[in-house]
Amino acid sequence: MPISIQVKNNQTSFKPGDKVEGSIIWDLPKEPKEITVNLFWATDGKGSQDIEVVDFRKFQAYCKTGNDSFSFTLPIAPYSFSGNLISISWTLEAFAKSGRDNCQYELIMAPQGEEICQ
Amino acid sequence: MTKIRYRSKSRPTTLIGKIFHSIFGLIFAGFGAVFILLATSTFSNKEDISKWPQANAVIKQGKVGYPKGLEEDYRYDLKYEFVYNKKKHIGTKIHSNGSGGDLDDIRFYQSKYPAGAKVKCYVNVKNPAKSVLVASRESKWVMLPFMLIPGIFVLVGIGQVISVWRGGKETISPNASSTSQTTKLEQRLGLALFFSIFATVGTLIFYFLCVKTMVKLNDSESWVKVPCEIINSRVKSHSDSDGTTFSVDILYRYKYKGTNRTCDDYSFNSTSSSGYDGKAAIAHSYPRGKKSQCFVNPVNPEEAVLVREGGTGMLLGAIFGGIFGLVGYGGIIGALFFMGKKKRGTYYSRRTGFHDPIDEYNSQWEIAGEQNIELKPKTSRFAQLAGSIFVCLFWNAITWTIAIVIIASGKLGPLLFISIFIIIGLGFVIAVFKQLLLLSNAKVKIIASSNVVRLGDPLAFYWAIPAKAERISKLSISFVGVEEATYRRGTDTITDKNQFYNELLFETTDYSEMLDGQAIFDIPETFMHSFSSSNNKIIWQLKVHGKIKAWPDIQDDYVIEVLPMERK
């Protein structure tokens, strides 16, 4: 995997306001110069998709290989949700400034640590 | 957990989706391109008469020919003599289509080509008898404005294909608060551009057929009444692919300040329309030779009318200009100012001025609701009535106009097809009546402890029915959760709704219990909070249902904003 995201303790379930800590590791054919990590939610289902980047980190990357750590504080909403027409999911995404390499790490964010199902 | 798929509203990601959207775009562009090609080829196929050799000609005879048949034009019957290749020839044509035209054309020909005038003619070398005096009646550029609409079709179609295949890394830009925002702006501008066509057409129709005529009517108060004599009187028919329409065509002569003049204006802006009998009655009331009176513009004595009325054009201008204008301007305002408007609880980022983006992001949930507030229904009954009247008028105006044109043309075949739309239109009429009846229903007042409640907190509310409660046979109040998903199918925007939760809070058939009462509902912490993004919504509401015998039921929804739990 040219770029990968590792979250502390491989945790996927979080509560609103929790910290998401982890690191990105890259091994690319040429130096990426900059790697961005996005924290965003997205809707899925029958409706057209809405996406919002809630926070992001940018890392200087002047080596073909390397790693760096990140930390995000999750907001209080929206909760991870799964309904009949709409679902809301949280994702961490890392991508290099040059090239098409990227990777994603899916999270669940809800008060009970489980996706809210209706 | 649902798998995230990157996709934007306007760009499909699958190959089949891309191909489907491309075909749709190409068909769209194709229609426009075909129209442009047909129009340009029609003009380019016309022989360039200006390249014909010229010769000196003398007008031998010229007189006005009055039309008799339904579809005949006025004519300027003339003969001119010219010499070509040392031979004398006689020509009778002014332009390639002959020597006909409307009365203004004939007046112009009369003044330019009187008997004895020396002019130049363009010689048809293959058949000198078909030579003409004027190379072209209309400029090739006259079609340019009509290329605008098919041109837009071509641009939109090509734009669709380009946007489908436009490359780029499918990652989310951290600088954009939401990937849907840019697309939303494009959509809004695109939609505004689309509606601007309706607005422009509506404005032009309304201005030229209605406003100008009204100004003319006002000015005509000072016009001078003079005697006139009817020269020719008939109903003129105008046939094209859409059917046949008719207009009153009365030519009369009058004398003003010693000068004899002719005019063919019956009223202001008497355009052609379907319906023969009314026009025939007018034409018969002005038989040839009848002495009558007309109104002459003292500033421009060439201008006169037999009656000072707006004519059918003014009414049609008001109806069609009004409908097009309403749709156009309403659409532009809706697209620019209301479409995708952020509501409370909607997600957006304003990082500037905030130290911590998450703190700023969370601030949207720090909403202080109003205490002891009277809740307003999601959509008022008047708004529902106004909406149903607008839809009903819009649909039926178009449908019935087409139906009347079909009936007037006498070809009743297409009426079978249009009858489906007429039945749908009748459904809209019934909906308007239903909304009218709903206006007289009892109003249920709901006063809540707050219109904003956090998960885990109680929602307390009080209801009262000040009048007409005796007509309600059963009253129920429920707390319901609804998902709303909006998506596009072709050119339509569709919103699907699903009620995922329904808790009956109160139900009674007892009149005294209906009059007033109160209820408390603890909103569980395990529920989903209210959510609203551009295309997806989770809405919580109090649903009031009052059953009324033999009358439309009371069905009002009152939105309650349910916030996520507070940070601990």
Side-chain angles (χ1 to χ4, degrees):
Chain A
M1 182 75 95
I3 302 178
S4 62
I5 297 172
Q6 286 186 354
V7 173
K8 195 175 170 184
N9 301 327
N10 290 325
Q11 190 180 346
T12 55
S13 289
F14 295 87
K15 290 180 181 173
D18 278 359
K19 269 196 165 63
V20 181
E21 293 174 315
S23 57
I24 44 161
I25 301 157
W26 67 92
D27 183 359
L28 298 164
K30 61 175 186 177
E31 61 178 50
K33 291 183 183 164
E34 188 178 273
I35 290 179
T36 306
V37 181
N38 281 336
L39 169 69
F40 69 92
W41 59 258
T43 64
D44 206 352
K46 199 158 189 183
S48 298
Q49 191 174 41
D50 296 315
I51 300 172
E52 170 133 14
V53 177
V54 173
D55 205 354
F56 63 89
R57 301 281 181 271
K58 284 177 185 282
F59 300 97
Q60 303 292 314
Y62 290 102
C63 294
K64 288 180 188 173
T65 60
N67 65 79
D68 216 327
S69 57
F70 62 82
S71 172
F72 290 106
T73 303
L74 289 169
I76 59 168
Y79 299 162
S80 296
F81 173 77
S82 181
N84 286 330
L85 300 178
I86 303 165
S87 63
I88 301 167
S89 310
W90 282 90
T91 303
L92 281 171
E93 179 204 45
F95 61 92
K97 191 178 182 181
S98 55
R100 301 180 69 89
D101 300 304
N102 71 84
C103 78
Q104 292 165 28
Y105 188 93
E106 293 176 14
L107 316 171
I108 290 171
M109 191 199 83
Q112 287 75 36
E114 288 174 7
E115 193 174 49
I116 293 171
C117 297
Q118 299 288 354
Chain B
M1 179 182 265
T2 320
K3 188 82 179 161
I4 291 285
R5 284 182 284 114
Y6 289 110
R7 60 185 165 90
S8 73
K9 293 185 289 288
S10 59
R11 277 201 283 162
T13 50
T14 64
L15 184 65
I16 293 170
K18 283 182 175 182
I19 291 169
F20 175 78
H21 276 74
S22 300
I23 291 170
F24 182 77
L26 287 172
I27 290 171
F28 209 72
F31 274 120
V34 166
F35 188 87
I36 290 171
L37 283 173
L38 281 174
T40 46
S41 69
T42 306
F43 274 87
S44 60
N45 284 342
K46 282 192 173 180
E47 198 174 356
D48 193 354
I49 294 171
S50 64
K51 288 179 182 165
W52 288 5
Q54 283 188 293
N56 291 320
V58 178
I59 309 293
K60 291 289 177 188
Q61 179 193 318
K63 63 171 184 176
V64 177
Y66 299 116
K68 291 185 176 60
L70 275 176
E71 296 197 358
E72 271 182 44
D73 270 337
Y74 287 98
R75 299 180 318 279
Y76 186 57
D77 296 331
L78 85 171
K79 280 182 183 171
Y80 51 92
E81 197 177 87
F82 62 95
V83 177
Y84 182 69
N85 276 350
K86 296 174 185 173
K87 276 187 184 175
K88 271 189 181 178
H89 298 279
I90 298 289
T92 56
K93 292 175 87 172
I94 294 178
H95 46 75
S96 57
N97 293 333
S99 60
D102 60 27
L103 195 60
D104 289 334
D105 292 333
I106 301 305
R107 277 184 187 145
F108 174 73
Y109 298 148
Q110 234 179 337
S111 64
K112 196 171 179 186
Y113 307 117
K118 289 178 181 174
V119 293
K120 293 263 185 194
C121 71
Y122 293 91
V123 181
N124 184 337
V125 290
K126 291 175 191 167
N127 185 357
K130 290 190 175 176
S131 299
V132 295
L133 294 176
V134 181
S136 172
R137 286 190 76 195
E138 54 209 8
S139 161
K140 285 184 179 182
W141 302 110
V142 78
M143 278 300 287
L144 205 61
F146 298 99
M147 299 289 185
L148 184 69
I149 291 173
I152 290 170
F153 272 64
V154 173
L155 287 176
V156 169
I158 292 170
Q160 162 110 353
V161 177
I162 291 169
S163 74
V164 164
W165 295 98
R166 192 170 55 188
K169 201 162 53 176
E170 291 188 305
T171 50
I172 299 163
S173 163
N175 299 320
S177 59
S178 165
T179 53
S180 61
Q181 294 300 308
T182 319
T183 319
K184 208 67 188 167
L185 181 69
E186 285 171 5
Q187 277 184 345
R188 285 163 61 188
L189 290 176
L191 212 58
L193 184 71
F194 173 75
F195 279 111
S196 67
I197 298 169
F198 283 84
T200 309
V201 172
T203 306
L204 290 175
I205 292 174
F206 193 77
Y207 176 73
F208 283 106
L209 294 184
C210 210
V211 176
K212 274 192 93 173
T213 311
M214 281 170 78
V215 171
K216 205 89 173 172
L217 271 172
N218 190 44
D219 291 348
S220 69
E221 293 295 321
S222 61
W223 287 22
V224 184
K225 201 174 184 180
V226 297
C228 68
E229 184 189 347
I230 308 300
I231 304 169
N232 198 45
S233 174
R234 63 166 183 158
V235 175
K236 189 178 180 185
S237 71
H238 312 262
S239 297
D240 60 20
S241 56
D242 297 328
T244 305
T245 55
F246 305 95
S247 62
V248 175
D249 184 30
I250 301 171
L251 183 70
Y252 50 94
R253 78 164 66 90
Y254 58 94
K255 200 171 188 176
Y256 185 74
K257 289 190 176 173
T259 308
N260 282 317
R261 299 172 195 277
T262 52
C263 187
D264 66 345
D265 287 331
Y266 169 69
S267 62
F268 296 111
N269 210 353
S270 45
T271 55
S272 70
S273 59
S274 58
Y276 176 84
D277 293 344
K279 282 135 194 150
I282 293 170
H284 286 147
S285 66
Y286 290 94
R288 191 180 295 185
K290 182 181 175 177
K291 307 283 183 203
S292 186
Q293 283 184 317
C294 66
F295 298 89
V296 181
N297 183 355
V299 180
N300 176 20
E302 290 276 312
E303 202 175 5
V305 286
L306 282 172
V307 292
R308 285 186 294 191
E309 289 173 3
T312 49
M314 194 169 146
L315 183 67
L316 291 173
I319 293 171
F320 287 104
I323 290 171
F324 272 88
L326 268 176
V327 171
Y329 288 111
I332 291 170
I333 291 166
L336 293 181
F337 300 108
F338 296 103
M339 190 177 156
K341 194 178 178 183
K342 297 287 178 189
K343 292 177 185 168
R344 189 167 54 188
T346 304
Y347 300 89
Y348 61 99
S349 294
R350 287 174 299 162
R351 295 202 169 88
T352 318
F354 282 88
H355 209 63
D356 184 352
I358 295 298
D359 271 353
E360 188 274 334
Y361 189 85
N362 285 335
S363 66
Q364 65 191 295
W365 304 105
E366 308 297 334
I367 300 166
E370 292 178 64
Q371 305 298 308
N372 296 321
I373 182 178
E374 183 181 342
L375 302 178
K376 299 288 174 206
K378 196 174 166 188
T379 317
S380 75
R381 291 174 191 172
F382 277 106
Q384 287 178 21
L385 176 65
S388 58
I389 287 173
F390 177 78
V391 172
C392 180
L393 283 178
F394 182 72
W395 184 276
N396 284 300
I398 293 172
T399 311
W400 280 99
T401 304
I402 297 168
I404 288 166
V405 169
I406 292 170
I407 292 165
S409 71
K411 297 168 192 167
L412 298 180
L415 205 60
L416 193 68
F417 172 72
I418 205 77
S419 61
I420 300 161
F421 296 92
I422 291 172
I423 292 166
I424 295 170
L426 290 175
F428 287 132
V429 174
I430 293 167
V432 169
F433 277 107
K434 189 191 165 191
Q435 290 301 333
L436 271 171
L437 296 178
L438 274 171
L439 284 182
S440 68
N441 271 350
K443 286 190 180 105
V444 182
K445 278 177 84 171
I446 303 275
I447 295 159
S449 53
S450 174
N451 55 345
V452 174
V453 188
R454 285 201 179 275
L455 289 171
D457 287 351
L459 166 68
F461 65 92
Y462 164 87
W463 76 88
I465 303 176
K468 300 177 189 170
E470 68 281 358
R471 294 175 61 191
I472 303 170
S473 58
K474 187 163 96 177
L475 179 73
S476 61
I477 303 174
S478 310
F479 185 66
V480 301
V482 178
E483 294 174 273
E484 281 187 14
T486 304
Y487 57 96
R488 287 178 68 185
R489 187 188 292 154
T491 53
D492 297 332
T493 300
I494 299 159
T495 299
D496 279 0
K497 294 181 184 181
N498 172 51
Q499 188 177 297
F500 61 84
Y501 183 83
N502 189 345
E503 176 87 30
L504 183 65
L505 304 179
F506 171 78
E507 187 175 63
T508 186
T509 52
D510 186 332
Y511 169 70
S512 61
E513 285 181 355
M514 279 180 210
L515 287 173
D516 54 39
Q518 53 187 321
I520 296 178
F521 176 64
D522 289 316
I523 299 173
E525 291 182 350
T526 53
F527 275 20
M528 181 61 185
H529 54 79
S530 298
F531 173 82
S532 173
S533 59
S534 300
N535 301 292
N536 298 278
K537 287 182 176 61
I538 292 165
I539 299 164
W540 290 100
Q541 55 200 23
L542 284 172
K543 203 177 235 328
V544 175
H545 184 201
K547 194 155 181 57
I548 302 171
K549 280 177 188 164
W551 202 261
D553 289 350
I554 298 167
Q555 282 182 323
D556 291 327
D557 298 332
Y558 302 84
V559 174
I560 303 288
E561 190 95 35
V562 176
L563 298 181
M565 280 186 284
E566 220 157 1
R567 277 178 287 179
K568 286 170 185 166

